[in-house]
């Protein structure tokens, strides 16, 4: 993670977490917050550039290799747009390459180092500067679940591995900040803002 000399040298911010963690809501609120001071571009994965890959990934179940390469294709398709936006302001992304490490790596058992190299290739070595991991337990995820897409409908054991993987990534990378997503939206958001202002 690169060292910053001033606040806006951290320009690529990702929100991560298992499904139903609330990361999408918090990412949107944080984008609104930063837009008072900076040009802000909010994006999401899958679907940073096109809805084609998102529709494919969420509408049906794929084997784990096909799923992986669909996510990588989506990420490679969107990276040029993200890089362009980074020259104009701050990019806030609902998910990033770390989702692949957590879901396809720890969740599906694909080698983490192999996935990291694939993502380096897909993104031209573009990694988020700051990652907010909105962490919830599995009971909370189940309580918040209603209709589930192809990813969300995977087993509870799968999501247990994904959550554990995220926490291992947070221990490994110093640009990760873990936030308790079981709190109210306002409390979660305020913690994100407090961390951001302390950087």
């Amino acid at each position: 993670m690169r060292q910053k000399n001033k606040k806006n040298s951290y320009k690529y911010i990702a929100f991560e977490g298992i499904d139903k963690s609330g990361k999408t809501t918090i990412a949107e609120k944080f984008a609104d917050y930063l837009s008072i001071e900076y040009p802000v571009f909010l994006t999401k994965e899958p679907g940073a550039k096109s809805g084609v890959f998102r529709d494919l990934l969420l509408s049906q179940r794929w084997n784990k290799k096909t799923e992986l390469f669909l996510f990588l294709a989506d990420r490679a398709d969107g990276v040029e747009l993200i890089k362009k936006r980074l020259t104009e302001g701050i990019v806030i992304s609902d998910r990033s390459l770390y989702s692949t490490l957590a879901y396809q790596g720890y969740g599906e058992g694909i080698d983490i180092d192999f996935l990291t190299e694939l993502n380096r290739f897909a993104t031209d070595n573009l990694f988020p500067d700051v990652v907010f991991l909105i962490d919830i337990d599995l009971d909370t995820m189940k309580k918040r679940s209603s209709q589930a897409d192809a990813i969300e409908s995977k087993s509870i054991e799968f999501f247990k591995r994904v959550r554990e993987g995220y926490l291992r990534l947070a221990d490994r990378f110093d640009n990760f900040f873990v936030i308790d997503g079981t709190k109210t939206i306002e409390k979660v958001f305020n913690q994100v803002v407090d961390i951001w202002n302390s950087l």
Side-chain angles (χ1 to χ4, degrees), residues 121-161:
F121 178 70
T123 66
D124 295 327
N125 284 304
L126 180 64
F127 283 63
D129 299 312
V130 177
V131 181
F132 291 107
L133 172 58
I134 312 300
D135 180 52
I136 60 171
D137 56 66
L138 280 299
D139 286 338
T140 299
M141 187 191 79
K142 286 190 290 184
K143 289 176 184 176
R144 293 178 180 178
S145 295
S146 53
Q147 289 185 326
D149 60 37
I151 304 297
E152 294 170 345
S153 62
K154 293 189 178 185
S155 73
I156 200 69
E157 286 302 315
F158 170 81
F159 282 104
K160 180 180 179 181
R161 294 193 299 272

Side-chain angles (χ1 to χ4, degrees), residues 100-132:
T100 294
L101 300 186
Y103 279 72
Q104 281 69 52
Y106 292 103
E108 297 288 5
I110 301 175
D111 182 74
I112 297 296
D113 291 336
F114 173 65
L115 291 177
T116 300
E117 289 307 307
L118 287 177
N119 275 290
R120 287 187 185 280
F121 178 70
T123 66
D124 295 327
N125 284 304
L126 180 64
F127 283 63
D129 299 312
V130 177
V131 181
F132 291 107

Side-chain angles (χ1 to χ4, degrees), residues 11 41 78-89 91 126:
K11 301 185 72 174
F41 303 94
V79 70
E80 290 303 319
L81 177 60
I82 290 174
K83 289 166 70 174
K84 178 179 184 297
R85 295 305 191 194
L86 286 170
T87 67
E88 302 167 355
V91 171
L126 180 64

